[in-house]
Amino acid sequence: MTKKRKVYLHVGLPGAGDIIEVALVRHREALVELGIDAPAKSVEDNFLSALELLREHKAWGFTRKEVEGQWAALCRRAWKGQGDVALSLPLLAAARRPEIDLLLDGLAGFQVHVVITAGPTDDIADFVERWSAAVRKPERLHVIRLEEPTPGKAWKAFGAVAGFGTASLGLDDVRAPFVRPVGSLDDARQEIERLARRNQSLERWRDESERKRKKLKRRLKVDAAA
């Protein structure tokens, strides 16, 4: 029986772990030598794929046509490789089950491992519950709790989970995520607008997570009293 190739899918949370997405793009050729295929050729590949899966393209100022087929294209590239696959889609941390199912459909045939990175005080219970149900087996969900949330530690920890060393894959020339070169004032304004929309989306997701946490806490109190 042919052994299934693995996919190590990083889904956030926002913070030091954001560097993983950019580092995978920067070192994609070197990673092949380490037995890891990183199918995203640019941060844009990941970003547009995430918008397509989340159906958030309008909120970010994109048309449906601009994002349609992005995730399928990324999956096709993953299938063309030979080693295990490393992907980072940080916007998907708060994806709901229909969106997760759509993502997993594209990775059918792989053994999918999900990696969540979080800071020392992040509340991740809701994210862990949702993604645990998706991957089904507990050993396929990896939570990296960064007590010292620095990009270097996040990158090294992800490499340890995915099975590659990062000593030769430095971050000195790795750009911060979501920062794009701009050639004009109009480009700069558009980039600022997109960053503002990203922050608004993340704030909405965090607010929703907090509401769910409080609701669950109230329910547990009622059950305990009964």
Side-chain angles (χ1 to χ4, degrees):
M1 184 176 177
T2 304
K3 186 177 179 181
K4 281 188 176 182
R5 294 166 63 202
K6 297 177 181 178
V7 173
Y8 292 93
L9 173 65
H10 171 245
V11 296
L13 304 173
D18 289 353
I19 199 68
I20 293 168
E21 177 184 22
V22 194
L24 287 173
V25 171
R26 168 64 181 82
H27 294 298
R28 64 188 305 265
E29 293 184 5
L31 283 165
V32 173
E33 301 299 320
L34 300 177
I36 299 292
D37 292 309
K41 296 179 180 179
S42 68
V43 172
E44 195 85 0
D45 287 345
N46 296 323
F47 180 60
L48 295 179
S49 295
L51 293 189
E52 180 187 17
L53 290 166
L54 294 169
R55 299 179 178 89
E56 286 277 347
H57 55 279
K58 287 184 179 179
W60 289 74
F62 290 88
T63 65
R64 180 177 178 81
K65 186 176 181 180
E66 287 178 299
V67 302
E68 196 168 22
Q70 293 291 330
W71 175 235
L74 206 55
C75 292
R76 283 196 296 271
R77 264 186 245 142
W79 277 111
K80 287 180 180 179
Q82 297 181 350
D84 289 339
V85 176
L87 278 168
S88 179
L89 302 173
L91 287 178
L92 288 178
R96 298 299 166 190
R97 193 54 194 261
E99 298 149 0
I100 292 173
D101 288 343
L102 185 61
L103 178 150
L104 293 177
D105 282 347
L107 299 175
F110 285 106
Q111 184 185 112
V112 180
H113 291 244
V114 171
V115 183
I116 297 174
T117 52
T121 62
D122 285 329
D123 183 358
I124 60 172
D126 186 45
F127 304 104
V128 169
E129 180 181 2
R130 196 179 317 125
W131 285 100
S132 292
V135 297
R136 299 182 182 178
K137 294 187 177 182
E139 65 270 21
R140 295 180 188 173
L141 180 69
H142 309 269
V143 177
I144 299 174
R145 178 72 79 170
L146 297 164
E147 297 301 329
E148 187 181 345
T150 64
K153 289 186 179 298
W155 179 227
K156 182 178 180 180
F158 177 78
V161 169
F164 63 88
T166 58
S168 62
L169 308 174
L171 301 179
D172 290 345
D173 59 346
V174 176
R175 289 175 178 237
F178 292 98
V179 175
R180 307 175 188 179
V182 294
S184 68
L185 182 57
D186 285 341
D187 289 341
R189 285 171 176 163
Q190 290 176 6
E191 183 64 15
I192 290 170
E193 183 179 352
R194 286 182 179 178
L195 287 170
R197 286 173 177 163
R198 173 178 181 261
N199 288 337
Q200 289 170 2
S201 297
L202 293 174
E203 287 170 3
R204 286 199 304 271
W205 288 340
R206 284 186 168 177
D207 290 344
E208 182 180 353
S209 177
E210 180 63 15
R211 285 195 299 272
K212 286 181 175 292
R213 186 186 68 80
K214 289 180 179 178
K215 183 178 180 180
L216 178 60
K217 189 175 181 180
R218 289 195 299 269
R219 189 192 310 162
L220 291 174
K221 284 184 179 180
V222 171
D223 291 343

